[in-house]
């Protein structure tokens, strides 16, 4: 947020308790429905006030009232269970200072985290870590007694089912080309509706977690903007975040690979419930004119409508992988060496040459053991994203820098060479191809998870002196097992 003026505006209360009005701030992402003011006390503590920009805007007032209720619920829960912050030391919710909701005036005053940044300014690994911790923290607020004493929104099974036909009609009006997918989603939803299992109940859900509504101050993460909070299905926040992260496939898959998320899928019919809730959420996004990119949401919806591959196709893929493993030598031995920073230096130099050989900025991915900082075979794997239509001119420029390509496929062009004793493998590859999606996702997951990275390092070291066939088969089993364990949701699409 940025200050837009230091003159006191009479539309803001001059004083709330010990806090005095100081200046007005711009709304988040230019949101014109609300106005924000900075307050301070005599000790210099800052507070943020949120109020509707137009007192006659009933929608803005309604959502603000719900946010006030959510903050009161969270504050009351923390007062009864202060140990929650000890159990989740990396997560905080700004303190509720004051609130008022009347016909004349509505406002919410909370602690202002002045030195915090949005998650969009942080590395992808930290963002995923914040999402996982936020969901684990919010799952604590599900007490039946506290729930009965709140006026918070309820978005249970009855609401989801009765409102689905209406939002489907609106979505079709806005996006007629996606009509068949929308109708298919509604039919599949009512065929397998998400249900609460034995012992489960609707829980407190933020419903709008994302890089905009989680802040980071270098020490912990702060969850803000509870205006959409409601008591809803336990998988609601997971499903909503999965849709938001869909445009970044590596981040999407890493989020789904988390222990808490994977555990949610292991509940009875968990995968089916995730799928049903996702179908409805996609249609809901298409029904909102200011929702997410409709093209991306439509792609996600259509992928959700794909059924699990037939048993025959699954067996065929397994057979293909087994045959592929037999192509490697059963006599050649591999040599595994400890991590050497020299590999990083060579990789950086090669990537600079790749960028210099391209007419514009390109996206380059460093993969393999060098990118993970673990033991390896002194090899460097690099992916260069490229649309297949541009393969020919881009490949020609790379060939000038690295020599002729050794392999050309519909989805990639490959170069292999040796530099300073390191084997370099470069692929100019279609980012929409299955090969790109598989390799970048599993490598990214290992890069971001210290436990997986340690497991993979131990595995690599244990393969020193094994045959090339044994080495490749062990790697394939590791990554296949990882995907099978952590991406059950993707397997069901």
């Amino acid at each position: 947020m940025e200050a837009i003026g230091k003159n006191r505006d009479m539309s803001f209360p001059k004083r709330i308790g010990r806090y005095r009005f100081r200046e007005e701030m711009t709304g988040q992402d230019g949101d014109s429905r609300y106005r924000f003011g900075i307050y301070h006390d005599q000790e210099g503590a800052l507070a943020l006030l949120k109020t509707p920009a137009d007192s006659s805007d009933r929608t803005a007032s309604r959502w603000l009232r719900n946010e006030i209720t959510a903050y009161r619920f969270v504050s009351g829960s923390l007062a009864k269970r202060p140990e929650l912050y000890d159990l989740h030391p990396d997560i905080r919710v700004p303190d509720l200072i004051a609130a008022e909701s009347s016909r004349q005036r509505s406002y919410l005053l909370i602690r202002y985290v002045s030195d915090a940044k949005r998650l969009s300014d942080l590395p992808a690994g930290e963002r995923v870590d914040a999402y996982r911790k936020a969901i684990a923290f919010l799952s604590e607020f599900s007490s039946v007694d506290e729930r009965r004493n709140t006026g918070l929104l309820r978005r249970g099974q009855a609401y989801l089912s009765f409102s689905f036909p209406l939002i489907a009609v609106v979505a079709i009006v806005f996006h007629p080309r996606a009509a068949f997918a929308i109708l298919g989603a509604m039919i599949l939803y009512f065929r397998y509706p998400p249900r609460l299992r034995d012992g489960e109940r609707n829980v407190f859900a933020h419903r709008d977690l994302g890089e905009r509504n989680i802040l980071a101050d270098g020490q912990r993460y702060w969850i803000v903007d509870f205006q959409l909070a409601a008591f809803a299905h336990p998988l609601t926040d997971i499903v909503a975040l999965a849709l938001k992260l869909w445009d970044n496939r590596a981040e999407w898959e890493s989020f789904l690979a988390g222990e808490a998320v994977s555990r949610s899928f292991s509940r009875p019919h968990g995968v089916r419930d995730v799928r049903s809730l996702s179908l409805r959420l996609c249609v809901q996004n298409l029904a909102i004119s200011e929702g997410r990119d409709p093209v991306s949401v439509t792609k996600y919806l259509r992928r959700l409508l794909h059924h699990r591959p037939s048993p025959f196709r699954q067996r065929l893929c397994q057979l293909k992988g087994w045959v592929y493993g037999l192509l490697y030598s059963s006599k050649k031995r591999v040599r595994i060496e400890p991590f050497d920073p020299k590999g990083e230096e060579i990789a950086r130099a090669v990537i600079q040459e790749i960028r210099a050989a391209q007419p514009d900025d390109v996206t380059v991915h460093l993969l393999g053991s060098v990118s993970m900082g673990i033991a390896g075979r002194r090899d460097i794997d690099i992916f260069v994203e490229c649309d297949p239509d541009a393969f020919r001119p881009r490949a020609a420029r790379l060939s000038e820098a690295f020599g002729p390509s050794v392999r050309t496929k519909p989805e990639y062009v490959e170069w292999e060479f040796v530099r300073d004793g390191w084997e370099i493998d470069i692929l100019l590859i279609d980012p929409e191809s299955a090969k790109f999606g598989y390799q970048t996702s599993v490598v990214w997951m290992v890069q971001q998870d210290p436990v997986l990275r340690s497991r993979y390092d131990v595995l690599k070291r244990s393969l020193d002196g094994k045959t090339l066939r044994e080495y490749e088969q062990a790697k394939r089993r590791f990554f296949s097992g990882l995907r099978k364990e952590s991406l059950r949701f993707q397997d069901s699409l």
Side-chain angles (χ1 to χ4, degrees), residues 92-105:
R92 290 292 184 273
V93 175
D95 298 330
L96 173 64
I97 299 173
E100 181 177 332
S101 180
S102 64
R103 293 183 179 180
Q104 292 76 24
R105 184 170 61 182

Side-chain angles (χ1 to χ4, degrees), residues 350 353 402-403 406 415-419 422-426:
V350 172
E353 294 178 38
F402 304 111
V406 298
W415 288 261
E416 294 178 351
F417 55 93
V418 177
R419 178 173 296 184
W422 289 76
E423 298 179 0
I424 315 294
D425 185 68
I426 301 174

Side-chain angles (χ1 to χ4, degrees), residues 262-474:
S262 297
R263 189 167 57 248
S264 298
F265 297 153
S266 65
R267 60 194 288 276
H269 305 292
V271 173
R272 193 178 72 182
D273 289 344
V274 168
R275 187 181 187 187
S276 298
L277 289 167
S278 300
L279 288 168
R280 190 193 180 282
L281 184 59
C282 284
V283 175
Q284 179 177 314
N285 268 261
L286 294 175
I288 302 175
S289 57
E290 66 269 21
R292 294 185 63 252
D293 176 19
V295 175
S296 175
V297 175
T298 303
K299 287 183 178 180
Y300 195 48
L301 174 60
R302 286 173 175 158
R303 174 157 187 164
L304 286 165
L305 292 172
H306 290 307
H307 294 284
R308 183 185 294 271
S310 65
F312 172 76
R313 186 167 183 178
Q314 293 185 54
R315 294 295 183 185
L316 185 62
C317 291
Q318 293 175 1
L319 179 61
K320 181 180 178 181
W322 180 76
V323 173
Y324 186 73
L326 294 178
L327 298 179
Y328 290 102
S329 173
S330 60
K331 297 181 180 180
K332 183 179 178 180
R333 302 284 174 173
V334 297
R335 181 182 177 186
I336 305 298
E337 299 182 1
F339 173 73
D340 186 352
K342 178 66 174 178
E344 291 183 328
E345 297 179 13
I346 297 175
R348 284 195 295 267
V350 172
I351 290 175
Q352 289 179 355
E353 294 178 38
I354 292 173
R355 296 189 184 282
Q358 300 302 307
D360 52 12
D361 189 26
V362 294
T363 302
V364 182
H365 302 269
L366 176 62
L367 308 176
S369 59
V370 172
S371 69
M372 303 175 195
I374 63 175
R377 297 178 56 203
R378 294 181 66 84
D379 55 351
I380 298 172
D381 301 317
I382 299 174
F383 277 9
V384 183
E385 292 189 22
C386 180
D387 188 275
D389 294 335
F391 271 178
R392 180 171 295 180
R394 295 291 181 94
R397 294 184 179 91
L398 288 178
S399 293
E400 293 177 2
F402 304 111
S405 60
V406 298
R407 196 169 293 105
T408 299
K409 299 285 186 178
E411 66 272 15
Y412 67 87
V413 183
E414 185 174 9
W415 288 261
E416 294 178 351
F417 55 93
V418 177
R419 178 173 296 184
D420 295 339
W422 289 76
E423 298 179 0
I424 315 294
D425 185 68
I426 301 174
L427 265 67
L428 187 69
I429 188 168
D430 177 9
E432 298 297 325
S433 66
K435 182 179 181 68
F436 177 90
Y438 172 76
Q439 294 202 22
T440 55
S441 63
V442 294
V443 169
W444 197 90
M445 283 189 286
V446 176
Q447 289 174 339
Q448 303 302 321
D449 192 326
V451 175
L452 290 178
R453 193 163 59 247
S454 176
R455 284 174 50 193
Y456 191 42
D457 184 47
V458 171
L459 173 65
K460 297 268 283 195
R461 292 174 183 272
S462 70
L463 296 173
D464 185 31
K466 300 292 185 179
T467 67
L468 182 60
R469 178 181 298 175
E470 292 172 328
Y471 172 78
E472 293 295 340
Q473 288 177 340

